[in-house]
Amino acid sequence: MWAFIFGALFLGLGLGLLYLASRFARFSVIRRAAGKWKGIPGKLLRFALGLVPALALVLALWKAMGVFNAAICVIHLMVIWILCDVVNLFVKKKRGRDFEKYYAGVFALGITFCYLACGWYLAHHVWRTAYPLETEKQVGNLRIVLFADSHVGSTFDGEGFLKLVKEMQAENPDVVVVAGDYVDDDTTKDDMVAACEALGTLETTYGVYYAFGNHDKGYYGPAYRGYSGADLIAELEKNGVTVLQDEVALLGEDFYLIGRQDRSEPGRASMEELTAGLDGDRYSIVLDHQPYEYDAQAASGVDLVLSGHTHGGQLFPFHRMGEWMGVDAKSYGLERREGTDFIVTSGISDWTIQFKTGCRSEYVVIDVLGGHSLYNFN
């Protein structure tokens, strides 16, 4: 899937550059600069002149936000520009004549800027999403605050993360759970330490629990970022965070919390192994970074599964691509299967792409309400 995404981004960047050059060539300033050249030489000269602002735009975006975000911007601009040109054709046909100035290009640039500015805000601002869940089990009530995919250092640093932790603390949670991808390869050691210290400020009834995601241990080895997965565990535990790696914790007398190894880890325990011997009268919560093994989790009889990983789908209209390709069971939100509730959060940040147009960043507040005879999503 990642090979497909990266290949599509680079292909889109190349095609977008060529397309933008042809569009910029239609502006009157470019046409005037090309002078009186006609035919093929004139078209080539206009394209060459149009390539200058197109290339300058791509390089500026690349330098400011990196190659992946530059590709995202260029692809969006190309698609929106095509749509504006199509609308321009209909208007031209209706009017019976073309406009003297290339208004379609102006609208394309303006619409793309506004659209991606909204996408930037949706990624960099964090909302609160609430789910009340009722269960027939006589277990009392539990307030869970869930977050995932902080990728510390992407849209906020360690200090910025502390501000979000204070917002979560204001929810008065009984437990805070971290569903993986807390850090990644580009998270500095200083930011990692600061973020762990921020978690250490949380005051809850049952504590703070953490399960690994696919990025947390790093893909390029400890030398690349200056610390290992073991160093991360040590820093988390120093700040009172319990790390669960295919382990079960008991929260009070009524709730199990099952923290799974990430799906990318070889030899992780099965749901059958993790739930063997558990008391079925207690309410069981699974922390599993990647939303994938829904059938096995539902068959195991657990009550609630919490995941991240998908970033909510991130970009419209491909926000369900993981489901379409069969690599994710769900991209975002709440679903119920065979008596098990599944929640996938869009996360509080992003990995590399700095825009969210198919969702928004969030932390999640879940109120488990015990002793209810009817299930209610409201």
Side-chain angles (χ1 to χ4, degrees):
M1 178 178 177
W2 286 113
F4 172 79
I5 292 173
F6 291 156
L9 284 175
F10 281 109
L11 178 62
L13 181 61
L15 293 175
L17 176 62
L18 296 177
Y19 181 79
L20 294 183
S22 70
R23 298 301 91 188
F24 279 117
R26 295 189 61 183
F27 282 110
S28 57
V29 63
I30 299 294
R31 300 178 73 87
R32 286 196 300 268
K36 298 181 180 180
W37 287 79
K38 303 293 184 182
I40 300 299
K43 291 181 179 179
L44 290 175
L45 179 57
R46 288 194 296 272
F47 179 83
L49 292 175
L51 188 60
V52 174
L55 189 58
L57 176 63
V58 170
L59 292 176
L61 292 169
W62 192 327
K63 184 173 179 59
M65 296 185 291
V67 61
F68 294 115
N69 288 290
I72 292 297
C73 293
V74 169
I75 291 170
H76 276 84
L77 179 55
M78 177 177 65
V79 171
I80 291 173
W81 209 318
I82 290 172
L83 294 175
C84 287
D85 274 341
V86 170
V87 172
N88 184 67
L89 285 175
F90 280 107
V91 174
K92 175 183 175 181
K93 185 176 181 179
K94 189 73 173 177
R95 296 176 77 237
R97 65 185 189 281
D98 202 354
F99 293 101
E100 293 183 8
K101 296 184 178 180
Y102 186 33
Y103 292 113
V106 176
F107 276 106
L109 289 166
I111 292 170
T112 305
F113 176 82
C114 293
Y115 184 74
L116 290 178
C118 290
W120 180 276
Y121 183 73
L122 291 173
H124 288 73
H125 182 76
V126 180
W127 279 262
R128 173 191 191 270
T129 300
Y131 296 103
L133 302 178
E134 296 180 352
T135 176
E136 295 181 356
K137 293 183 177 181
Q138 301 298 316
V139 294
N141 299 337
L142 182 76
R143 169 162 283 198
I144 307 166
V145 168
L146 159 72
F147 75 89
D149 301 289
S150 46
H151 296 279
V152 177
S154 178
T155 60
F156 50 76
D157 56 14
E159 184 177 345
F161 179 64
L162 177 59
K163 296 178 182 177
L164 293 173
V165 167
K166 290 179 178 178
E167 290 183 30
M168 296 181 212
Q169 179 64 73
E171 301 289 346
N172 295 316
D174 292 310
V175 62
V176 173
V177 294
V178 186
D181 280 2
Y182 184 57
V183 296
D184 62 33
D185 285 285
D186 293 321
T187 304
T188 66
K189 185 173 183 178
D190 287 343
D191 276 341
M192 181 272 286
V193 171
C196 290
E197 290 174 348
L199 285 182
T201 66
L202 285 166
E203 297 180 3
T204 69
T205 307
Y206 300 119
V208 181
Y209 292 84
Y210 165 90
F212 275 100
N214 55 300
H215 282 276
D216 288 307
K217 294 182 179 179
Y219 283 105
Y220 308 124
Y224 180 85
R225 62 182 183 181
Y227 58 94
S228 64
D231 294 328
L232 173 60
I233 292 174
E235 200 63 40
L236 287 166
E237 291 179 342
K238 186 170 76 174
N239 287 279
V241 179
T242 301
V243 179
L244 298 177
Q245 300 187 79
D246 285 340
E247 297 170 284
V248 181
L250 183 61
L251 309 181
E253 296 296 325
D254 296 323
F255 298 90
Y256 289 120
L257 180 61
I258 305 167
R260 302 197 71 184
Q261 288 269 25
D262 184 63
R263 179 186 167 203
S264 61
E265 293 284 349
R268 78 165 178 168
S270 68
M271 286 303 302
E272 184 179 8
E273 292 171 312
L274 289 169
T275 56
L278 297 186
D279 183 354
D281 291 331
R282 288 175 169 145
Y283 189 93
S284 51
I285 305 159
V286 177
L287 203 55
D288 191 4
H289 176 65
Q290 300 192 43
Y292 183 70
E293 296 180 352
Y294 276 19
D295 290 339
Q297 288 165 335
S300 72
V302 297
D303 297 287
L304 175 62
V305 179
L306 306 176
S307 303
H309 182 64
T310 64
H311 297 190
Q314 192 139 358
L315 297 176
F316 177 84
F318 304 107
H319 51 301
R320 296 294 179 264
M321 181 176 288
E323 296 174 51
W324 301 336
M325 298 181 68
V327 297
D328 299 314
K330 190 173 184 63
S331 298
Y332 176 74
L334 172 65
E335 180 178 332
R336 186 171 175 84
R337 293 191 187 184
E338 300 179 14
T340 301
D341 292 312
F342 296 86
I343 293 176
V344 182
T345 175
S346 61
I348 59 174
S349 185
D350 293 306
W351 169 52
T352 292
I353 297 172
Q354 299 284 303
F355 305 92
K356 284 183 175 178
T357 58
C359 62
R360 63 185 187 181
S361 295
E362 66 177 12
Y363 68 84
V364 176
V365 179
I366 305 158
D367 285 301
V368 179
L369 308 173
H372 288 260
S373 60
L374 295 176
Y375 189 85
N376 185 4
F377 284 98
N378 297 319

